[in-house]
Amino acid sequence: MSRTVGVFVGSLRQDSYNRRLALAMEKLAPDGLVFKHIRIDGLPLYNQDFDSNYPDSCRQLKQEVEACDALLFVTPEYNRSVPGVLKNAIDIASRPYGTNSFAGKPAGVIGCSIGAIGSALAQQHLRNTLAYLDVPTLGQPEVFIHMTDDLIAADGTIKEPSTRQFLQGYMDRYVAWLERFLS
Amino acid sequence: MSRTVGVFVGSLRQDSYNRRLALAMEKLAPDGLVFKHIRIDGLPLYNQDFDSNYPDSCRQLKQEVEACDALLFVTPEYNRSVPGVLKNAIDIASRPYGTNSFAGKPAGVIGCSIGAIGSALAQQHLRNTLAYLDVPTLGQPEVFIHMTDDLIAADGTIKEPSTRQFLQGYMDRYVAWLERFLS
């Protein structure tokens, strides 16, 4: 059966390392798991005054999230937390009050950075938010990739065999996690 | 001596309760402490590709922060964390790499919400980020205000005597905190 995974990449940078990581995960996924990248760059800054008349771009984001079976968050760390640009998209899709578009969708949280901790602290903050949004997130393995330019190519090709093996292990656990909630 | 406090309100809502709280704090401040509200609503979503040619609005934000002696963050909680709109502004003022506009400026972190925990979890996440940005934040007292419509008026007038006394105590400690770093 075909399942759609909504992918949130937390960086807007054109050559984002986290986008490379997202593409790498997609290559490791089984047939039938379709990855759809959800854009977060065209959104306004969330304002609660929107709630009475939600902007079109915000409604579209909510519809895209709601059309997905599962979620994958691939995020860098900005200032020891979630990038504001990603948190803004999450805030928008969680609102207006009572219409949280994420609720119940199983998710993974992974990321990379050029620093040794590989976005670990951002991921912890993100898990706090996702728990509140009733998004069950896979706990282990954790994916804190210390990225270098030659670890994963721009098209998502993993160049390092041990990294490929590790990420394949993550994907297998991730798929099993989704099946708990989607079967 | 006159000192300027840059105020970040984490909500864009026109009748924001946190803006009311910020105005209330201003009324309790001693002469010579000037509060300047720093706008965060006209900013783009941060993109690292900006770093080579920072947008005017982002440079202006940095200049406004750099012109302040101290900071006061007054934030609601969105999904158990910092509002994306506030984090985005912080990300922008912290970049490009090596030009963190916040460094060394003493700060307070306070907030309110209509829920009982009064933005406590958002404030904790925000403190993680501010520590990384080398912003010394006053630890106690914590200000987690359970807001109601008749606690603080739209112009910042505090209607409840016990709340006024508590916030005056905060302001006194806040001023003493600033003096440690600015004298």
Side-chain angles (χ1 to χ4, degrees):
Chain A
M1 193 191 303
S2 176
R3 300 289 193 186
T4 301
V5 174
V7 179
F8 282 85
V9 174
S11 165
L12 299 185
R13 188 165 76 96
Q14 194 162 13
D15 188 27
S16 160
Y17 281 157
N18 279 279
R19 189 168 300 111
R20 292 190 190 192
L21 176 57
L23 293 172
M25 297 310 297
E26 186 172 345
K27 287 181 191 291
L28 299 172
D31 288 347
L33 207 58
V34 178
F35 286 67
K36 180 174 165 31
H37 284 241
I38 295 179
R39 291 188 64 161
I40 61 174
D41 60 337
L43 298 168
L45 296 165
Y46 175 73
N47 181 334
Q48 200 179 325
D49 291 328
F50 287 169
D51 283 14
S52 56
N53 186 19
Y54 232 45
D56 285 346
S57 60
C58 301
R59 277 191 283 191
Q60 189 184 329
L61 174 71
K62 288 177 70 65
Q63 286 165 4
E64 286 178 29
V65 172
E66 288 163 19
C68 295
D69 301 294
L71 303 165
L72 183 65
F73 293 87
V74 190
T75 189
E77 182 173 296
Y78 287 179
N79 299 315
R80 300 294 176 241
S81 188
V82 178
V85 56
L86 174 58
K87 180 58 163 49
N88 181 63
I90 293 172
D91 290 341
I92 288 172
S94 75
R95 299 284 304 191
Y97 184 79
T99 71
N100 167 18
S101 298
F102 297 108
K105 297 187 191 294
V109 175
I110 65 177
C112 65
S113 74
I114 56 171
I117 63 171
S119 88
L121 301 179
Q123 291 184 43
Q124 293 292 352
H125 280 190
L126 182 54
R127 284 179 190 274
N128 292 162
T129 287
L130 293 175
Y132 174 72
L133 291 172
D134 204 20
V135 170
T137 56
L138 174 63
Q140 292 288 350
E142 298 171 304
V143 177
F144 305 145
I145 302 289
H146 183 177
M147 196 70 162
T148 56
D149 209 40
D150 54 2
L151 196 67
I152 301 177
D155 71 348
T157 301
I158 305 169
K159 298 178 181 175
E160 173 62 37
S162 65
T163 301
R164 185 184 308 110
Q165 187 177 10
F166 172 70
L167 292 178
Q168 185 65 64
Y170 179 86
M171 179 53 69
D172 296 346
R173 286 288 302 271
Y174 176 69
V175 170
W177 179 248
L178 303 194
E179 284 172 356
R180 282 182 191 272
F181 298 91
L182 300 178
S183 57
Chain B
M1 192 192 304
S2 176
R3 299 291 193 185
T4 301
V5 174
V7 180
F8 281 85
V9 174
S11 165
L12 300 185
R13 189 165 75 95
Q14 194 162 14
D15 187 28
S16 160
Y17 281 157
N18 279 279
R19 191 168 298 111
R20 292 190 190 192
L21 176 59
L23 293 172
M25 297 310 296
E26 187 172 345
K27 288 182 191 290
L28 299 172
D31 287 347
L33 207 58
V34 177
F35 285 68
K36 180 176 166 30
H37 284 241
I38 294 178
R39 291 188 64 162
I40 62 173
D41 60 337
L43 298 167
L45 295 165
Y46 175 74
N47 181 333
Q48 199 180 326
D49 290 328
F50 287 169
D51 283 15
S52 56
N53 185 18
Y54 233 45
D56 286 345
S57 60
C58 301
R59 276 191 283 191
Q60 189 184 329
L61 174 72
K62 288 178 70 67
Q63 286 164 4
E64 287 178 28
V65 172
E66 288 162 20
C68 294
D69 301 294
L71 303 165
L72 182 65
F73 293 87
V74 191
T75 189
E77 182 172 295
Y78 286 179
N79 299 313
R80 300 294 176 242
S81 188
V82 178
V85 56
L86 174 58
K87 181 59 163 49
N88 181 64
I90 293 172
D91 290 341
I92 289 172
S94 76
R95 298 286 303 190
Y97 184 78
T99 72
N100 166 19
S101 298
F102 297 108
K105 296 186 191 293
V109 175
I110 65 176
C112 65
S113 74
I114 56 170
I117 63 171
S119 87
L121 300 180
Q123 292 184 42
Q124 292 292 353
H125 279 190
L126 181 54
R127 284 179 190 273
N128 292 161
T129 287
L130 294 175
Y132 174 72
L133 292 172
D134 204 20
V135 171
T137 56
L138 174 62
Q140 292 288 349
E142 298 171 304
V143 178
F144 305 145
I145 302 290
H146 182 178
M147 195 70 162
T148 56
D149 209 40
D150 54 1
L151 196 67
I152 301 175
D155 71 348
T157 301
I158 305 169
K159 298 177 181 175
E160 173 62 37
S162 65
T163 301
R164 186 184 307 111
Q165 187 178 10
F166 172 71
L167 292 177
Q168 185 66 63
Y170 180 86
M171 179 52 69
D172 296 346
R173 286 288 302 271
Y174 176 69
V175 170
W177 180 247
L178 302 194
E179 285 171 356
R180 281 182 191 272
F181 298 92
L182 301 179
S183 58

